[in-house]
Amino acid sequence: MSGSRSYPTSDASESPERGEVVLSLKTVYKMLPLVQQIASDIVTSNRTVERLHPEEERLDRQRRNLDWPMRHRRYEIKEEIAKAEKEIEVALAELRDLGVVLLDDLVGRVGFPTMVNNRRAYFSWRLGEDGLQSWRFADEDVDRPIPPSWLKELSFAQA
């Protein structure tokens, strides 16, 4: 990556010295469909766990007085929660393997590691967004719009 530029170049997909993943905008666009599905799986599984936990807790408190249908329901809930938690683990491992970071598991915000002005940053995408629209420095929670000059460079790279 050239030191005179203030944005990642389209061919910047090499790893820096510390072995950190650095993804170019072009690479992120190619990865986005897969990452969108993984983020959706995480949010769906988290919602399943959140939805079932209150019922699980209620049935756990009453476990000594439950009739067979309610005991059966308690076992089903525990299995559904375990399955959803396993799906979350698998999805998180897939993101790690891709070098992508989960920034917010409740809304499905992910960060694609990159460098901006020699500073660790992420291209940021959230479930429900149409395409990649923002980026942020790794040590900040503020999303910034992707500058048109970066997108212009991307269109040149695709030509």
Side-chain angles (χ1 to χ4, degrees), residues 77-94:
I77 289 172
K78 289 192 176 296
E79 288 175 11
E80 287 181 56
I81 289 173
K83 180 182 176 204
E85 289 173 341
K86 182 64 178 170
E87 289 169 353
I88 292 168
E89 281 181 40
V90 168
L92 289 173
E94 289 175 337

Side-chain angles (χ1 to χ4, degrees), residues 48-109:
T48 298
V49 170
E50 286 178 21
R51 179 178 51 81
L52 293 174
H53 263 304
E55 187 177 1
E56 178 193 34
E57 289 172 358
R58 181 181 57 79
L59 291 173
D60 281 349
R61 283 190 307 271
Q62 300 170 351
R63 70 183 172 275
R64 298 188 197 288
N65 301 321
L66 296 176
D67 59 10
W68 173 244
M70 293 310 289
R71 283 184 188 200
H72 181 70
R73 175 65 182 148
R74 182 172 168 253
Y75 299 141
E76 284 178 336
I77 289 172
K78 289 192 176 296
E79 288 175 11
E80 287 181 56
I81 289 173
K83 180 182 176 204
E85 289 173 341
K86 182 64 178 170
E87 289 169 353
I88 292 168
E89 281 181 40
V90 168
L92 289 173
E94 289 175 337
L95 288 181
R96 268 191 310 276
D97 289 347
L98 293 170
V100 177
V101 177
L102 183 64
L103 300 173
D104 185 333
D105 63 340
L106 298 179
V107 298
R109 181 167 298 283

Side-chain angles (χ1 to χ4, degrees), residues 78-148:
K78 289 192 176 296
E79 288 175 11
E80 287 181 56
I81 289 173
K83 180 182 176 204
E85 289 173 341
K86 182 64 178 170
E87 289 169 353
I88 292 168
E89 281 181 40
V90 168
L92 289 173
E94 289 175 337
L95 288 181
R96 268 191 310 276
D97 289 347
L98 293 170
V100 177
V101 177
L102 183 64
L103 300 173
D104 185 333
D105 63 340
L106 298 179
V107 298
R109 181 167 298 283
V110 295
F112 298 85
T114 193
M115 296 292 284
V116 176
N117 293 334
N118 293 322
R119 223 171 125 189
R120 193 94 172 117
Y122 297 111
F123 292 113
S124 177
W125 176 85
R126 177 179 170 260
L127 194 62
E129 289 180 344
D130 293 330
L132 197 62
Q133 301 169 8
S134 59
W135 70 278
R136 65 169 63 182
F137 284 112
D139 58 353
E140 297 178 358
D141 290 333
V142 178
D143 280 345
R144 302 157 192 232
I146 294 177

